[in-house]
Amino acid sequence: MSFLTLKSIHVILMVTWFAGLFYLPRLYVYHAMLDNDPKGDERFKIMERKLFWGIMTPGGILTIATGLTMVFVYHDIGVWLHIKLTLVALLIFYHIWCGKLLNDFKYNRNQRSHVWYRWFNEFPVVILIPIVFLVIYKPF
């Protein structure tokens, strides 16, 4: 497989992962706003579970796998990559935190407001921007 093919697959998978990272917390916003709606609660639980386990987690795992493959096979290592990998580690932590919140909703233990989830939802954007600039410019 050529480097550009692997890189293209990596970007496609990254977009898939980020779709979940952007949308799952948005579902949490609306889920947290429900008031005495058992059918709506169950509907959100199903959507959240399917998004987390069916799209987000496979996308994240495969994004990381293709990224590490590029690093190990093509050895394009610089300071920029160390910074990027640190930011990816933060995304992995965020992903795991989303899974913990998924379980909180699943077992009716959510204690956070929709406003908190609105702020929580912004974190992936804060990480995506520097990652894109690091990859495109490779400044260090």
Side-chain angles (χ1 to χ4, degrees):
M1 180 180 308
S2 76
F3 175 74
L4 291 178
T5 302
L6 184 59
K7 192 175 191 178
S8 298
I9 292 168
H10 178 70
V11 170
I12 292 164
L13 292 165
M14 182 271 306
V15 169
T16 302
W17 187 24
F18 266 89
L21 290 172
F22 288 148
Y23 192 55
L24 184 62
R26 178 56 49 183
L27 287 176
Y28 293 161
V29 168
Y30 301 130
H31 197 165
M33 292 173 67
L34 283 181
D35 189 29
N36 232 356
D37 182 2
K39 285 186 178 184
D41 182 58
E42 286 306 311
R43 189 175 305 117
F44 273 108
K45 288 175 182 178
I46 291 167
M47 290 188 302
E48 292 158 356
R49 177 181 47 81
K50 287 183 176 185
L51 179 59
F52 185 82
W53 292 111
I55 296 171
M56 203 169 128
T57 298
I61 290 169
L62 294 171
T63 298
I64 294 162
T66 55
L68 291 175
T69 301
M70 285 189 294
V71 170
F72 291 121
V73 171
Y74 299 103
H75 306 292
D76 186 12
I77 299 173
V79 173
W80 70 271
L81 183 62
H82 293 283
I83 297 168
K84 179 192 173 197
L85 292 177
T86 301
L87 294 171
V88 170
L90 290 173
L91 286 174
I92 293 167
F93 173 76
Y94 182 82
H95 183 111
I96 292 167
W97 194 358
C98 284
K100 186 240 181 266
L101 295 170
L102 178 78
N103 278 330
D104 287 347
F105 277 110
K106 178 180 178 180
Y107 296 110
N108 301 314
R109 296 186 309 229
N110 176 53
Q111 298 296 313
R112 300 182 191 279
S113 73
H114 68 93
V115 175
W116 186 88
Y117 286 109
R118 288 179 195 279
W119 285 104
F120 182 75
N121 189 49
E122 301 305 322
F123 182 77
V125 176
V126 173
I127 300 299
L128 177 63
I129 293 168
I131 285 177
V132 169
F133 278 94
L134 284 166
V135 170
I136 300 296
Y137 289 100
K138 298 179 183 176
F140 313 105

